[in-house]
Amino acid sequence: MFKLVIQDDEGKTTVVPLIRDEITIGRKEGNTIRLTERNVSRRHARILRNNGEVHIEDLGSYNGIRVNNARIAERVSLRVSDQVQIGDYKLYLKAEGIEQVDEARTMPIERVEAQLATESMTSVTPNVTVPHPIHQAPTAPQVIGNPNRTMVAIADTDPAARTIGPATAAAVAALTASGGYGRLVVLSSNFAGKEFELSRPQMIIGRTDENDIVINHRSISRNHAKLVREPETSRYTISDLQSSNGVRVNGQDYGKVELRRGDVVDLGHVRLRFVEAGEDFVFARDAVITDVPETGSRRGMMIALLAAIVVVVAGIVVYSMRGTPKDKDDVVVPGKGTNSDVLIDAGDGSAAIAEHPDIVVDAPVTTNVGKPGDEKAQKLGKCTELAVQKDWQGLDDCATALGTLGAKDRANEFHAKAKRETANDIEAKKVEQALRDGNLKSAETSLDKIGPESVYYASLHVTFLKLEAPQVEQARRQAQTYASAHDCSNFNKYKNQMSASTQKVISTVQAIRCIEKATEPVVIRQPSGSGSATPPVVPPPPKANPCDTMDVDDVMKQAANQFGAGYAKAALALVAKALACKQSVTMYRMAGMYACAAHDLSDAKLYFNKVPANVQSGIEQKCQLEGLNLRGP
């Protein structure tokens, strides 16, 4: 009998018997073997057994399949001890009754980093024994099969990559060629513009000075995340180091994920953009300063819910392991986390259990596990997953099934959420169309219907505020022009035209007061009998205080928008205007950052000295990036 040995990138292995003539491998549910890392396509590969031979073929995956370090182009035959590379997983073919490994030739997997001699960080070489020696990959990848049939696959994990065409060895090499190092650029306003070059094979991100990348923010854990650069492909992966606030990439939580061009990474409440090696990215030109929305309470509730589900599932696992293996269909191989588990549908799992006694057998819902609560817990977990995926029709159907299992209260909650978010999905599309048309009033109306509790609200609201800010400023300036000229007639007409504007535009105009110019001067006369006649005294009109009509928060937002667009001097002028009416440490810090970007050393020193010592470091680092020395003469 043939067996398949599956080894993840941490060296954990699982043995699966090939008792079927055809098995499929991929990330999507429904495959015989599920490999859930991101660099595995939804339907990645197929293994066929026929007349004592085993073949493997690529199902149009994005990252392809390598057999003995060579990328295959068509169906190829596998021999005993051949190494198959699928994403981060290595697979080996074994056969019972055949001596496959020569102990004298067995060697550990070693990875030699070119820069280890000059870097302070040392690399740990895993002592994992593999069925045969690992040969160094050639510089230009070898392609097995007919080159004329080799195609660059459509990336089902990256919708933006849609180029299809013949892939020669040079084309394959171009896909994996390295060009310098990637970068992480901070987009959050608290460290805006700060860059970190990802030049080491492994870098730790955290709040304290012991880390390679230091981000001193209260939402960052002491050791928050780890960045690893693959030397052969120059690809970067980021892993969560059990941080308090997690790692999110493009709004999704991950334990470990590969970074791609343009990915937005949230570490706690600090937002960064991944800049690929060789990418033409200039912060002042391409970046938009955005802050991570505060979602602590909702995240806490989600963590509590997931923890409860984990406890229930753990109970199911313990109970299931006491059953007879031959009654099970699915095998879950323990891995290094949520994003690295291997789910294997092996048909008869008894052989796999004999090879790997620590594996957990997880029967599908249709199998008679024994306790009714097991099926209920599985269905509850499925409904929660559908809610995260925004599959509202699937959630509604799942809630119906959950109700039949006795969990009526939770089923009603899921039904209500599915109904509510289905309506919100329609409103969200209206908001997107209204924003494209520039109709902010209509967008605001739909946003109010959606409400802050909806999963669609946060991102749409951020876009809405960006488009609303210029209109608020324009309305404020026009109304202030009429008020300063005491032209209250036109001022009132303009105010009455605000009905088609957003609430913030209306409230901004209504906060400005217009006073009619006096038609006759006020005359102060001398008391009677004072002697010589003196001309009447006309007091000068009172000077208008600009702070009475200034919206300081709006001015600061305008400054941030100007700075994000690359106009640091204009941003500095706006902050100086706001500081004339209101002062705070945050405003002085932003003024210092803008002064550094505008290369205005005198203003930078002025604002640098107005903030406490724990805030000065950020301003000083920004000025150093711009070649300015705040502590010099």
Side-chain angles (χ1 to χ4, degrees):
M1 173 188 289
F2 288 107
K3 297 180 181 180
L4 199 62
V5 180
I6 303 174
Q7 176 182 322
D8 64 19
D9 59 354
E10 290 187 350
K12 299 177 182 177
T13 61
T14 301
V15 179
V16 181
L18 299 182
I19 60 175
R20 299 182 181 179
D21 290 336
E22 178 179 332
I23 64 172
T24 58
I25 302 174
R27 196 180 72 251
K28 186 178 179 181
E29 291 184 7
N31 289 287
T32 315
I33 298 177
R34 282 186 64 206
L35 307 178
T36 59
E37 281 287 358
R38 191 181 181 186
N39 54 13
V40 178
S41 296
R42 287 190 281 265
R43 280 179 53 82
H44 201 111
R46 176 165 52 199
I47 294 179
L48 304 169
R49 189 186 61 178
N50 185 26
N51 295 328
E53 292 187 355
V54 178
H55 297 82
I56 188 170
E57 64 178 341
D58 193 342
L59 297 180
S61 64
Y62 177 60
N63 291 313
I65 301 171
R66 292 180 178 272
V67 177
N68 298 329
N69 285 327
R71 184 164 179 167
I72 67 173
E74 54 188 14
R75 183 183 301 180
V76 298
S77 176
L78 290 180
R79 296 170 299 176
V80 172
S81 296
D82 274 351
Q83 175 187 293
V84 179
Q85 183 84 33
I86 295 179
D88 288 337
Y89 300 90
K90 292 185 177 70
L91 296 83
Y92 306 96
L93 187 64
K94 292 178 61 177
E96 288 184 345
I98 300 177
E99 186 65 29
Q100 302 168 63
V101 180
D102 182 358
E103 296 296 336
R105 298 177 61 223
T106 303
M107 58 184 296
I109 298 175
E110 296 185 6
R111 177 175 295 166
V112 179
E113 302 289 356
Q115 296 182 345
L116 287 182
T118 57
E119 299 291 345
S120 61
M121 182 180 296
T122 59
S123 174
V124 179
T125 302
N127 292 322
V128 181
T129 302
V130 297
H132 60 282
I134 304 299
H135 300 286
Q136 183 176 2
T139 303
Q142 176 186 357
V143 181
I144 298 178
N146 184 359
N148 295 325
R149 293 182 54 192
T150 306
M151 303 295 285
V152 177
I154 299 177
D156 66 353
T157 58
D158 185 0
R162 296 295 181 189
T163 304
I164 306 177
T168 62
V172 175
L175 289 174
T176 58
S178 61
Y181 301 113
R183 292 175 290 155
L184 282 178
V185 181
V186 182
L187 300 182
S188 300
S189 57
N190 41 15
F191 304 104
K194 190 170 183 178
E195 295 188 2
F196 305 99
E197 185 179 54
L198 311 178
S199 57
R200 298 186 182 181
Q202 176 176 289
M203 303 181 77
I204 305 298
I205 306 174
R207 191 179 65 251
T208 58
D209 294 336
E210 66 193 31
N211 296 281
D212 303 288
I213 296 177
V214 179
I215 303 178
N216 188 9
H217 192 270
R218 63 182 182 277
S219 65
I220 302 293
S221 297
R222 181 184 182 92
N223 303 116
H224 198 108
K226 178 175 70 173
L227 270 163
V228 177
R229 175 174 57 87
E230 179 62 39
E232 296 179 358
T233 62
S234 294
R235 292 179 176 174
Y236 292 86
T237 57
I238 187 168
S239 306
D240 189 2
L241 297 179
Q242 297 182 344
S243 61
S244 299
N245 292 313
V247 174
R248 294 183 300 281
V249 177
N250 300 328
Q252 298 293 323
D253 289 302
Y254 289 100
K256 178 181 178 182
V257 65
E258 179 182 323
L259 294 179
R260 297 176 182 165
R261 173 181 295 199
D263 278 352
V264 175
V265 181
D266 292 340
L267 304 179
H269 299 308
V270 178
R271 177 160 290 177
L272 307 98
R273 184 191 187 279
F274 175 67
V275 180
E276 196 176 51
E279 180 182 352
D280 181 19
F281 178 87
V282 179
F283 181 83
R285 182 193 67 197
D286 303 324
V288 177
I289 299 176
T290 55
D291 290 316
V292 181
E294 298 283 347
T295 56
S297 59
R298 188 176 302 173
R299 175 182 174 85
M301 293 176 61
M302 181 61 70
I303 292 175
L305 176 61
L306 292 177
I309 293 173
V310 168
V311 171
V312 174
V313 172
I316 298 171
V317 166
V318 172
Y319 181 82
S320 301
M321 290 181 66
R322 297 176 182 175
T324 304
K326 64 178 64 179
D327 293 333
K328 315 298 180 183
D329 289 329
D330 290 351
V331 180
V332 179
V333 181
K336 56 186 179 301
T338 304
N339 293 321
S340 60
D341 294 338
V342 185
L343 175 62
I344 305 165
D345 179 5
D348 179 4
S350 56
I353 295 174
E355 291 285 344
H356 199 296
D358 295 330
I359 63 176
V360 178
V361 179
D362 183 14
V365 177
T366 55
T367 303
N368 183 16
V369 178
K371 290 186 177 181
D374 295 346
E375 189 174 357
K376 185 192 300 184
Q378 291 177 3
K379 186 60 68 175
L380 177 62
K382 181 63 176 177
C383 292
T384 303
E385 181 182 352
L386 290 169
V388 173
Q389 295 173 352
K390 301 180 185 178
D391 185 353
W392 311 124
Q393 183 59 53
L395 177 61
D396 195 56
D397 295 340
C398 183
T400 300
L402 185 63
T404 62
L405 298 175
K408 293 184 178 180
D409 291 342
R410 294 308 310 276
N412 291 336
E413 291 178 13
F414 284 129
H415 276 306
K417 184 178 183 65
K419 181 179 180 181
R420 183 172 62 252
E421 295 295 359
T422 298
N424 289 337
D425 187 18
I426 297 174
E427 292 297 331
K429 291 181 173 60
K430 292 181 181 179
V431 173
E432 293 171 353
Q433 185 59 49
L435 293 176
R436 285 194 292 268
D437 296 340
N439 188 349
L440 297 188
K441 181 67 174 179
S442 176
E444 183 179 49
T445 301
S446 294
L447 273 174
D448 290 340
K449 292 180 181 179
I450 292 174
E453 297 303 320
S454 172
V455 297
Y456 295 100
Y457 183 84
S459 60
L460 292 173
H461 190 242
V462 170
T463 305
F464 171 80
L465 291 178
K466 289 180 181 178
L467 297 175
E468 183 190 40
Q471 293 193 10
V472 171
E473 175 60 15
Q474 181 181 359
R476 187 194 65 78
R477 289 180 178 178
Q478 184 61 57
Q480 187 62 51
T481 300
Y482 289 135
S484 299
H486 304 284
D487 187 358
C488 296
S489 175
N490 283 325
F491 174 83
N492 291 328
K493 290 179 181 179
Y494 184 70
K495 186 166 64 173
N496 293 333
Q497 295 172 358
M498 293 291 103
S499 58
S501 302
T502 64
Q503 289 298 321
K504 190 166 187 178
V505 172
I506 294 173
S507 61
T508 300
V509 174
Q510 289 178 344
I512 298 175
R513 293 181 299 171
C514 182
I515 301 174
E516 292 282 0
K517 185 181 294 186
T519 55
E520 295 183 0
V522 178
V523 178
I524 301 176
R525 301 184 180 276
Q526 294 288 339
S528 59
S530 60
S532 61
T534 57
V537 178
V538 180
K543 294 182 179 179
N545 186 354
C547 294
D548 293 339
T549 57
M550 180 186 297
D551 188 335
V552 174
D553 292 337
D554 275 349
V555 174
M556 292 300 296
K557 288 180 181 178
Q558 295 172 41
N561 289 334
Q562 291 290 332
F563 182 72
Y567 303 109
K569 291 185 178 180
L572 179 61
L574 287 169
V575 177
K577 179 180 176 182
L579 284 170
C581 300
K582 180 181 176 181
Q583 299 82 36
S584 70
V585 173
T586 300
M587 294 172 67
Y588 281 127
R589 178 175 60 81
M590 298 307 296
M593 299 284 284
Y594 297 161
C596 293
H599 294 270
D600 190 332
L601 183 59
S602 60
D603 277 0
K605 288 184 176 180
L606 171 67
Y607 297 125
F608 175 77
N609 292 322
K610 289 183 178 292
V611 299
N614 62 332
V615 181
Q616 288 179 338
S617 59
I619 300 176
E620 188 172 15
Q621 289 176 3
K622 181 63 177 176
C623 278
Q624 287 176 352
L625 291 174
E626 301 294 339
L628 302 180
N629 183 11
L630 290 177
R631 301 185 185 273

